[in-house]
């Protein structure tokens, strides 16, 4: 093993571009997946037969087939119907549609966790349905759905490696191509693994910050703990009264 070669890979423009492509795929697919999931969740809440039939077929199709199959199908089959998409757009479309099927269930469970009585109370106070959704339902549902959405974000980061099969130059494809040219698989894959761990660590830190900002109790506890103790992870026993 050559640590110098691992460092060279880490700072090389090729690996950096691959990491940026992986990050871009993750963010785009997750954003579109949340939008698709929200639409599907609202259709399920609508209780209409057409909406429930459409969502049932969508969930059955994209939760019942492998992600790799969906990526290859969109990239290779759609052109036969006259729909030609670039490799990047095909990858984002496939990952977003797959992610939307899981996001729909997460968001639906979060919306249903807010009791209907609170919505009725908001309407009784003179709020519109949109204001009730914005000020009453969404803030509470956000605290519920944030942890599973964070897990989905990390999962999406790892699933993005599958798009290498359609020649999207993300991190794993770059590492594999570099290793195939130099036969230094250990160093190339180690560098890729470090990039993946760094990105997942950042996502986990962002998730923790968002959870704390949305939870009033955690915000209050954070204010009462000195900054040095928060950074060092020191916890103090409660005072005995």
């Amino acid at each position: 093993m050559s640590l110098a070669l691992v460092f060279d890979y880490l700072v090389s423009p090729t690996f950096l571009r691959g990491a940026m492509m992986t990050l871009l795929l993750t963010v785009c697919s997750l954003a579109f997946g949340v939008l698709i999931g929200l639409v599907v969740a609202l259709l399920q809440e609508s209780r209409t037969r057409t909406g429930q039939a459409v969502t049932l077929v969508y969930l059955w199709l994209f939760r019942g087939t492998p992600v790799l199959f969906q990526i290859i199908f969109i990239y290779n089959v759609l052109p036969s119907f006259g729909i030609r998409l670039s490799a990047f757009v095909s990858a984002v479309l496939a990952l977003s549609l797959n992610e939307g099927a899981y996001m729909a269930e997460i968001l639906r469970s979060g919306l249903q966790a807010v009791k209907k009585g609170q919505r009725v109370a908001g309407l009784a106070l003179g709020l519109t349905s949109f204001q009730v959704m914005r000020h009453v339902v969404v803030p509470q549902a956000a605290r519920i759905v944030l942890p599973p959405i964070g897990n989905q974000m990390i999962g999406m980061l790892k699933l993005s490696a599958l798009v290498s099969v359609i020649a999207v130059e993300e991190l794993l494809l770059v590492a594999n191509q570099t290793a195939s040219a130099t036969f230094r698989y250990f160093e190339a894959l180690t560098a890729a693994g470090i990039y993946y761990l760094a990105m997942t660590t950042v996502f986990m830190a962002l998730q923790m910050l968002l959870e704390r900002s949305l939870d009033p109790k955690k915000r209050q506890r954070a204010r009462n703990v000195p900054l040095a103790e928060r950074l060092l992870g020191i916890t103090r026993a409660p005072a005995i009264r």
Side-chain angles (χ1 to χ4, degrees):
M1 175 181 177
S2 173
L3 292 178
L5 186 57
V6 172
F7 180 78
D8 289 341
Y9 286 151
L10 286 173
V11 298
S12 69
T14 304
F15 272 74
L16 184 59
R17 284 196 300 270
M20 291 298 102
M21 177 60 71
T22 294
L23 188 60
L24 182 61
L25 280 168
T26 302
V27 173
C28 291
S29 301
L30 187 69
F32 288 119
V34 170
L35 290 176
I36 295 171
L38 180 60
V39 172
V40 174
L42 293 176
L43 284 175
Q44 289 178 306
E45 289 289 312
S46 67
R47 304 296 182 181
T48 62
R49 290 185 178 181
T50 302
Q52 290 191 348
V54 170
T55 56
L56 180 62
V57 172
Y58 169 73
L59 295 174
W60 169 72
L61 183 62
F62 284 95
R63 294 178 67 181
T65 55
V67 185
L68 186 59
F69 168 83
Q70 296 165 17
I71 294 171
I72 296 174
F73 186 91
I74 289 176
Y75 184 69
N76 291 325
V77 176
L78 290 186
S80 63
F81 294 95
I83 304 174
R84 300 188 179 277
L85 304 174
S86 66
F88 176 80
V89 174
S90 298
V92 171
L93 180 60
L95 293 176
S96 299
L97 290 172
N98 180 268
E99 188 68 15
Y102 294 93
M103 281 294 177
E105 296 301 309
I106 293 173
L107 296 175
R108 184 172 66 88
S109 64
L111 293 174
Q112 290 181 346
V114 181
K115 296 181 179 179
K116 293 183 178 180
Q118 297 189 34
R119 306 185 188 191
V120 174
L123 294 173
L125 291 173
L127 298 178
T128 64
S129 298
F130 177 78
Q131 289 175 327
V132 169
M133 183 64 66
R134 178 183 176 185
H135 298 292
V136 178
V137 178
V138 171
Q140 297 181 73
R143 291 197 297 268
I144 298 171
V145 304
L146 186 58
I149 287 179
N151 292 334
Q152 288 295 115
M153 180 182 293
I154 295 174
M156 176 61 65
L157 177 67
K158 294 181 286 187
L159 279 178
S160 65
L162 294 176
V163 304
S164 60
V165 299
I166 57 174
V168 177
E169 292 189 352
E170 48 77 50
L171 183 57
L172 186 60
L173 180 61
V174 168
N176 193 39
Q177 289 177 339
T178 302
S180 299
T182 61
F183 296 101
R184 304 302 294 263
Y185 284 92
F186 187 85
E187 288 82 357
L189 293 178
T190 298
I194 292 173
Y195 267 116
Y196 278 119
L197 289 173
M199 288 187 285
T200 54
T201 301
V202 171
F203 285 163
M204 292 171 65
L206 289 174
Q207 178 184 347
M208 292 175 61
L209 290 175
L210 287 174
E211 288 181 10
R212 179 174 297 176
S213 66
L214 291 174
D215 192 333
K217 294 181 180 179
K218 290 184 179 180
R219 287 203 306 268
Q220 184 62 35
R221 286 199 298 266
R223 293 193 192 102
N224 296 333
V225 177
L227 178 61
E229 293 188 10
R230 294 204 303 267
L231 293 176
L232 294 175
I234 299 174
T235 56
R236 293 183 294 178
I240 300 177
R241 298 179 182 272

